Amino acid sequence: MKGEGKMKKSNLYVGLISLFIGIVFLVIALNFESSLESLLFGFSGSGIGGGAVVLWKYYYWTRPENKDRYQEKFENANIELHDERKTILRDKSGRYAYIIGLIVLFVSIVIFSIIGSLNIIENSELIITYLAGFLLFQYIIGILIFNHLNKKY
């Protein structure tokens, strides 16, 4: 298999691109007054932070003294990724998380429609906070369901 046991160069490129995009957002946020300023700073932080982490991992795992450990980590990850039982459980947990998410979205639409009709929501902060929480909920519920199925089967 190509690239087996070696850190891919594409990881380096992804890290550099992410870092560059973060710096671009930071420059834009610092030079222009806008109502989107906080969003631009958030994008810059995620770009710079994420890019720095990817670059650090690339540097760490490509050092000669870490090559054997990376080879072992790579092989274990490959085994886990191609394990048929875990693949089935991942698919099943993803399906359950998707169904739960659809139910939560349906209830949310009804609730936000009622709140909107009563003119309770003045700005979009509540909705944005809710959607961020929902994203976190979807991720966590997927992990919890997978762990439950993994123990069950």
Side-chain angles (χ1 to χ4, degrees), residues 27-135:
V27 168
I28 292 170
L30 290 173
N31 289 321
F32 299 104
E33 291 286 325
S34 169
S35 59
L36 298 176
E37 198 170 80
S38 61
L39 191 62
L40 292 171
F41 278 117
F43 286 152
S44 69
S46 65
I48 292 170
V53 168
V54 170
L55 291 175
W56 180 84
K57 283 183 178 182
Y58 182 83
Y59 167 75
Y60 180 81
W61 289 116
T62 54
R63 291 175 39 196
E65 61 267 18
N66 296 326
K67 285 192 180 205
D68 291 337
R69 283 185 33 227
Y70 183 74
Q71 177 69 29
E72 182 180 329
K73 177 183 173 189
F74 180 81
E75 289 171 2
N76 288 339
N78 240 358
I79 291 169
E80 288 288 319
L81 185 62
H82 298 307
D83 181 10
E84 288 179 31
R85 182 180 148 278
K86 288 198 176 182
T87 300
I88 291 168
L89 294 179
R90 272 194 302 269
D91 292 345
K92 200 172 200 178
S93 65
R95 181 174 176 264
Y96 290 154
Y98 173 75
I99 290 169
I100 291 169
L102 285 178
I103 293 167
V104 170
L105 279 176
F106 172 74
V107 172
S108 302
I109 289 169
V110 172
I111 291 172
F112 280 120
S113 294
I114 293 169
I115 291 173
S117 297
L118 298 174
N119 292 325
I120 295 175
I121 298 177
E122 294 288 325
N123 58 25
S124 62
E125 287 179 21
L126 176 65
I127 295 173
I128 293 170
T129 303
Y130 172 79
L131 290 173
F134 179 71
L135 179 66

